[in-house]
Amino acid sequence: MWQLRETTRAVLADDGGAILDERTGRWTHLTPTAAAAVMLLLSGTTEHQAAEQYAVRYGISLERAATDVRTVADALTARGLAATEANSWDCPRRWGLWR
């Protein structure tokens, strides 16, 4: 399942969005279509289901939608803002467990 990294904060809307990388303090700005792809990916659906919903939303072929959704997912993953595994780069936070 694709998800944003724990150290990111997303502000997503129909007219675009941005993702803050708290480690670096840098923002990644998203076009409206990229923000829509992120919202669909984060909704808990599979990537295929996200692409289907994206295709319907924008009136494009499923093949084109799948390419668009995959491109956004890959770009954010390459920037270290997202991954397909829940703990692929972050250790679980254990604050408060040590006394």
Side-chain angles (χ1 to χ4, degrees):
M1 180 169 156
W2 188 89
Q3 65 183 26
L4 292 175
R5 187 178 177 143
E6 278 188 32
T7 57
T8 62
R9 298 295 170 253
V11 179
L12 304 169
D14 288 337
D15 60 348
I19 299 173
L20 171 64
D21 184 342
E22 293 179 333
R23 295 170 303 136
T24 64
R26 292 187 182 164
W27 287 91
T28 297
H29 296 276
L30 305 172
T31 64
T33 53
V38 171
M39 285 189 273
L40 292 169
L41 286 165
L42 293 176
S43 70
T45 62
T46 65
E47 189 174 313
H48 180 75
Q49 290 170 328
E52 288 176 331
Q53 294 170 3
Y54 190 91
V56 169
R57 180 176 186 158
Y58 292 104
I60 59 176
S61 71
L62 180 57
E63 181 179 297
R64 175 65 194 192
T67 299
D68 290 354
V69 169
R70 170 70 4 223
T71 299
V72 170
D74 287 347
L76 294 177
T77 300
R79 287 180 171 242
L81 301 173
T84 55
E85 293 297 321
N87 296 319
S88 63
W89 14 235
D90 285 327
C91 296
R93 294 184 180 176
R94 301 187 194 290
W95 306 115
L97 297 178
W98 300 98
R99 297 201 182 248

